[in-house]
Amino acid sequence: MSDNDDLGKIIDKAEQLKNKKRVEAEKNRPGPALIKPRAVTPPDDERWEVHRVFAMADVHWFRWLLPLALLSLPVILCSGKQLSVWQSWGFIAVIAAIPLGRYLAARLHALATFARFRSWRRRLPFKLVGWEKLVDTEHFDSGVYWRLEGSLKIELTSHPTLDGKAINALLYLFCHEANREFYVPEFCIAGFSGDPRKEWAVNGTTARGSVNNGVANQIYLFLDRRLGPLAAKHGVTGQVTITVSDKEYEISPEQISSEGTAS
């Protein structure tokens, strides 16, 4: 056998091995990564998921009363000399009824006002831009997630009564209500020094500040119950623009000790 034949066999064998390795690599190649869809509020941003967050925002702290009642059960039952068993259970039932009653009342109110919420943007006499981005966030149902940059800009047609000065005053009142949604975190989150949130302040006919779902609720209340009716009464048209930054930051109000660990 000539040297050329031997070399040809070597080349053929190498090509066979390359092809075999290529076929195995194709078989073992991972398919496209499955991307978990982001959990956001529905495209129809007047659906129940949005309204529930707004309408029931002030009942969350009542949930602590129910476990408090259950935790106090052994203590109350052990003090049988002062209270009978029925009196002890009655006391527990009263404590448990407070959060449950408050929750049911809030739930009924939310259901009763849902129809009005469904059509609130259609009642506005001006164009509203940016509402979808305000409420379409991954963590909209949690008040501890904040977007650090937000603005509310009002551009309405001139009117003798509802002029720039009046709008500035209205925005000042809105900022006061929005800033009441700011709790005080007692620690520094990673990447920031102190509290990175900006309280709402007004400059002319534009207000700026940080946004969570509580502030979003104040924006809704301001537009639906204050600015909207006034603009409709005076026949004022124009545009209101909401802008918010994309990234959300978890800023928990949990207390952190001076050593930097959770207390």
Side-chain angles (χ1 to χ4, degrees), residues 73-92:
L73 176 61
V75 177
I76 295 174
L77 292 179
C78 289
S79 60
K81 295 181 179 179
Q82 291 78 22
L83 296 174
S84 67
V85 174
W86 288 108
Q87 288 175 326
S88 301
W89 279 106
F91 181 75
I92 296 295

Side-chain angles (χ1 to χ4, degrees), residues 226-245:
R226 183 162 287 175
L227 183 62
L230 280 175
K233 177 181 178 180
H234 297 293
V236 176
T237 59
Q239 178 172 305
V240 174
T241 305
I242 302 169
T243 61
V244 286
S245 51

Side-chain angles (χ1 to χ4, degrees), residues 28-48:
N28 297 328
R29 178 180 297 176
L34 296 177
I35 301 176
K36 184 179 179 180
R38 198 173 63 141
V40 299
T41 51
D44 178 0
D45 296 305
E46 276 74 45
R47 288 182 65 176
W48 171 254

